[in-house]
Amino acid sequence: YPLMIFGKYLSFVLPRNVVQALVFLLLISSATTGAYLLTEKITNNRLTAFVSSLFYFFNLYVMSQVWQRAIYGLMFGWAFLPLFLFLWIKLLEGKKIIRWLGIFLVLQVVFSYSYSMPNNVFVFWIPAGLYLLIKIFKERKNRKTLARLILISFITGILWLIVNIWWVYPLIRLAGNSYAEKTSVNLNLESLRGVSTNFPVSQIVQLRQKFFFNTANNKETPWGTFYDSPLTVMVSTAGFLVVLWGLIRFRRSKYFSFLFWIFLIALFISKGTNPPFGLQFYKWLFANFPFTEMFRNSYEKFGAVFLLPYAVFFGAGVWEISSRFRKRNSKALFLILIF
């Protein structure tokens, strides 16, 4: 709503298609800048951050699940996630708290369209909460640091709620509306089972989805048979191998446990009812926590969380491989091929 109000008055000065293009520019710039800042913070390497930020935009998940779907909530959530986590990490460091907290809260307003899909609350706070838990575990013997972490996270959470109360309160009030009463656990579980056939683990690790990239599943894919070719499948597979190499080489970093667990948790959630234990998990989850039924298309709704560590590990893998080339010409050729 706040951004749309700004766009409304801007459209009195500029053509509406230009205003829309500026919104897209904001989203792409925010996503790549956020991915760069987060990766540089985590890896302390600018080349890794540069590659990761580009990869966070140029990949099959974003092409098919964000832009092809043309749902603003998905676009805003994908664009804001890296910035959200970067600011969260800076806040928990305890340096210049007022500055980072101010930026964090202002951006909540700018990117409030993210919350038009309430699942993005979990997309943002599950990784943030995991990072907090890991920090608490590591600092469990340092009472002063532990108290500071808990206090900062509590204050930030309360202020986040206050800033967003204008949509949180109506959402809670509308939770029992007529549409909500028409849904059921079994209906949403069957919906998830149906779409999960399009994204088994073998597809997700390539950031693919059968409905968009396999003409056997969909004869009217937007790009024809291009992604059915052995070459494109090989490129996707090679990309995942680079990610695995980056994951292995990054294991000594103090941020490794955070990225690794986010990578695994997001993969498990994104794969839907596919094995292992997908059906059992979602059957239990939907039955006990009905609000989680919003993840009845889990790859679409939670895939950005998987993509983020994927992009960081990809950048780390590219850096590790390129550093092994002693000759500049060979290194330059490798980076050109990667790009």
Side-chain angles (χ1 to χ4, degrees), residues 85-122:
L85 289 178
F86 169 74
L87 293 169
W88 177 250
I89 291 173
K90 296 294 286 187
L91 278 168
L92 293 186
E93 287 181 344
K95 299 177 182 178
K96 301 179 180 179
I97 295 177
I98 302 299
R99 171 189 173 185
W100 294 115
L101 184 58
I103 296 173
F104 181 81
L105 295 176
V106 168
L107 289 181
Q108 295 300 321
V109 178
V110 175
F111 288 94
S112 60
Y113 211 110
S114 303
Y115 303 114
S116 63
M117 295 181 66
N119 63 275
N120 280 329
V121 173
F122 299 94

Side-chain angles (χ1 to χ4, degrees), residues 45-118:
N45 187 297
R46 290 183 178 181
L47 177 61
T48 299
F50 180 66
V51 174
S52 297
S53 65
L54 287 179
F55 188 87
Y56 189 69
F57 176 46
F58 292 106
N59 62 79
L60 299 184
Y61 174 84
V62 171
M63 184 170 76
S64 62
Q65 305 301 307
V66 176
W67 298 108
Q68 172 65 21
R69 294 303 301 274
I71 299 174
Y72 275 108
L74 289 173
M75 296 178 187
F76 276 79
W78 160 77
F80 190 35
L81 177 60
L83 277 173
F84 186 98
L85 289 178
F86 169 74
L87 293 169
W88 177 250
I89 291 173
K90 296 294 286 187
L91 278 168
L92 293 186
E93 287 181 344
K95 299 177 182 178
K96 301 179 180 179
I97 295 177
I98 302 299
R99 171 189 173 185
W100 294 115
L101 184 58
I103 296 173
F104 181 81
L105 295 176
V106 168
L107 289 181
Q108 295 300 321
V109 178
V110 175
F111 288 94
S112 60
Y113 211 110
S114 303
Y115 303 114
S116 63
M117 295 181 66

Side-chain angles (χ1 to χ4, degrees), residues 136-335:
I136 288 175
F137 179 78
K138 289 182 177 179
E139 301 291 344
R140 62 189 182 279
K141 296 181 179 180
N142 189 333
R143 293 185 177 181
K144 185 177 180 180
T145 304
L146 198 61
R148 178 178 56 79
L149 285 171
I150 295 173
L151 180 62
I152 292 173
S153 58
F154 178 76
I155 293 174
T156 302
I158 292 297
L159 291 176
W160 176 89
L161 184 62
I162 292 172
V163 168
N164 289 292
I165 197 67
W166 62 273
W167 65 261
V168 171
Y169 178 71
L171 182 70
I172 294 172
R173 287 291 303 273
L174 291 170
N177 65 14
S178 58
Y179 175 76
E181 292 172 359
K182 292 179 182 178
T183 62
S184 68
V185 172
N186 290 333
L187 184 64
N188 286 314
L189 183 62
E190 286 306 310
S191 176
L192 178 58
R193 290 184 67 179
V195 297
S196 293
T197 58
N198 288 313
F199 41 82
V201 173
S202 60
Q203 289 282 302
I204 294 178
V205 296
Q206 299 178 68
L207 302 180
R208 288 171 169 256
Q209 200 241 49
K210 286 183 179 180
F211 184 79
F212 287 107
F213 297 110
N214 190 334
T215 51
N217 293 75
N218 180 8
K219 300 295 183 182
E220 299 180 357
T221 57
W223 23 77
T225 60
F226 179 79
Y227 289 98
D228 284 327
S229 71
L231 176 62
T232 56
V233 173
M234 184 178 69
V235 169
S236 297
T237 304
F240 179 60
L241 293 177
V242 172
V243 169
L244 288 180
W245 182 249
L247 185 153
I248 293 169
R249 300 300 297 176
F250 193 68
R251 67 186 184 279
R252 295 180 181 177
S253 169
K254 67 177 182 178
Y255 294 100
F256 175 77
S257 56
F258 167 62
L259 287 179
F260 179 71
W261 282 110
I262 283 296
F263 186 82
L264 289 184
I265 292 171
L267 176 60
F268 183 81
I269 294 175
S270 297
K271 71 180 180 58
T273 58
N274 289 301
F277 310 117
L279 180 59
Q280 296 88 338
F281 171 74
Y282 276 101
K283 191 173 183 179
W284 172 84
L285 190 69
F286 286 4
N288 291 279
F289 304 97
F291 61 87
T292 61
E293 293 172 44
M294 65 180 75
F295 287 101
R296 58 186 174 270
N297 188 336
S298 56
Y299 183 49
E300 172 197 79
K301 301 290 179 62
F302 207 76
V305 181
F306 177 69
L307 171 63
L308 190 55
Y310 195 105
V312 175
F313 288 139
F314 181 83
V318 169
W319 165 251
E320 285 292 336
I321 296 172
S322 65
S323 64
R324 295 175 181 272
F325 290 98
R326 295 181 179 179
K327 295 182 179 180
R328 287 187 177 182
N329 291 340
S330 300
K331 185 175 183 177
L333 178 61
F334 169 73
L335 291 176

Side-chain angles (χ1 to χ4, degrees), residues 11-54:
S11 67
F12 295 154
V13 181
L14 298 173
R16 292 181 181 181
N17 63 310
V18 174
V19 175
Q20 186 185 46
L22 289 173
V23 171
F24 290 156
L25 178 62
L26 168 69
L27 296 176
I28 296 170
S29 301
S30 301
T32 51
T33 301
Y36 180 89
L37 292 172
L38 180 64
T39 307
E40 186 184 31
K41 175 66 181 173
I42 288 172
T43 65
N44 197 30
N45 187 297
R46 290 183 178 181
L47 177 61
T48 299
F50 180 66
V51 174
S52 297
S53 65
L54 287 179

